Amino acid sequence: MSAAPIRLGVNVDHVATIRQARGTDYPDPVLAAMRAVEAGADGVTVHLREDRRHIQERDVRVLAERLQAGGQWRVPLNLEMAITDSMLALAEAVRPPRCCLVPEKREELTTEGGLDVAGQLPRVAAAVARLNAIGARTSLFIDPEPAQLAATLEAGAPAIEIHTGHYANASGAEAAALAEQIAEFARQAVAEGLEVHAGHGLHFDNVGLIAAIPEIVELNIGHFLIAQAIFDGIGPTVQAMHTAMRGARSNA
Ligand code: PXP
């Protein structure tokens, strides 16, 4: 069986981080997203955090306009968000084709762990129902733990994004073992009918083991791509990541 192609969702949050550091109107995450799309990005991801430390509500609205032509999405916008009433209301107004529900703590540097779906099933299920109602395909950002998979199925979400942060922080044999754990989890999720994405902490040197997992059809990558774009530009960086992902996939 040949593996499904693997998509790259480019997260442009950290373009906005640089802008917000000075309160300027540059660099523009929307412009970065458009350049990434021109270079072949399969989707654009933004995380509108509660504290608005990078992406602002206006960025989400402008991105949604710019990514559509004639009422069709040129590539999908994936809105990452915490489960709050105001975020759900924004999603209902903007109607992104993809949403990813993540946990959020104000004091964290970045999303530090997966969503505890099992521990708050009614709340997650209600959010998924609201997003299903606008036709958004919702993924739940979870750690590769069986209880979270079972809860995701109960919550009615069609997709998961596996948190690769622990894998990304490991090296050598430990990283290989965590990649195998992610692969086994992805197989179980696909067997249950879910679409499987992955992301967090991925870069050129560690993306291979994850991209090689045939059940994973999408990677969402941000921090490294924006950092590398300082040296190479966003277009060449997106193209190089695509090449790394596809190379790992075809050698799998
Ligand atoms: N996927 C999710 C759900 C995330 O929260 C993040 C970080 O915002 C990413 C992917 C991208 O992680 P990174 O910026 O480390 O590539």
Side-chain angles (χ1 to χ4, degrees):
M1 184 192 90
S2 66
I6 186 160
R7 304 188 297 262
L8 172 59
V10 175
N11 179 318
V12 293
D13 291 352
H14 295 300
V15 178
T17 300
I18 298 174
R19 180 189 62 191
Q20 297 308 115
R22 284 289 180 90
T24 48
D25 58 5
Y26 67 87
D28 180 5
V30 176
L31 183 57
M34 302 320 289
R35 294 274 175 89
V37 169
E38 280 164 25
D42 304 293
V44 173
T45 296
V46 287
H47 182 181
L48 182 65
R49 293 187 70 101
E50 290 291 293
D51 63 10
R52 304 293 194 266
R53 68 175 72 161
H54 39 54
I55 293 294
Q56 307 296 304
E57 194 169 320
R58 179 176 183 279
D59 296 323
V60 179
R61 292 183 187 275
V62 175
L63 246 183
E65 265 174 43
R66 296 286 308 278
L67 289 176
Q68 293 180 79
Q72 297 292 317
W73 290 88
R74 296 198 284 150
V75 301
L77 172 63
N78 177 31
L79 181 61
E80 272 181 25
M81 58 192 223
I83 304 174
T84 67
D85 199 52
S86 63
M87 287 306 312
L88 289 164
L90 177 74
E92 286 164 342
V94 173
R95 302 175 76 88
R98 312 270 190 271
C99 290
C100 179
L101 297 179
V102 301
E104 205 174 292
K105 290 196 242 98
R106 278 184 189 247
E107 64 278 14
E108 69 191 354
L109 281 179
T110 181
T111 314
E112 284 167 359
L115 186 68
D116 181 12
V117 185
Q120 47 178 342
L121 187 53
R123 183 162 171 251
V124 177
V128 170
R130 278 176 74 171
L131 297 172
N132 283 346
I134 59 163
R137 196 187 54 209
T138 303
S139 57
L140 304 184
F141 186 52
I142 58 172
D143 289 313
E145 294 166 2
Q148 301 302 341
L149 181 57
T152 295
L153 294 166
E154 280 192 63
I160 56 170
E161 179 161 321
I162 302 176
H163 188 297
T164 53
H166 304 298
Y167 159 77
N169 288 336
S171 58
E174 191 195 354
L178 289 170
E180 186 41 48
Q181 182 194 12
I182 289 169
E184 178 52 32
F185 191 72
R187 284 191 281 276
Q188 287 169 15
V190 166
E192 296 288 356
L194 295 173
E195 180 169 307
V196 180
H197 310 163
H200 210 280
L202 297 177
H203 51 67
F204 288 153
D205 295 335
N206 66 13
V207 76
L209 286 183
I210 301 300
I213 299 169
E215 287 78 10
I216 294 179
V217 296
E218 178 176 308
L219 299 182
N220 284 296
I221 308 181
H223 187 263
F224 171 77
L225 291 179
I226 303 309
Q228 189 65 21
I230 294 169
F231 303 104
D232 297 337
I234 185 91
T237 303
V238 166
Q239 285 166 351
M241 184 57 82
H242 251 148
T243 302
M245 287 163 52
R246 288 173 183 156
R249 191 71 153 201
S250 61
N251 290 332

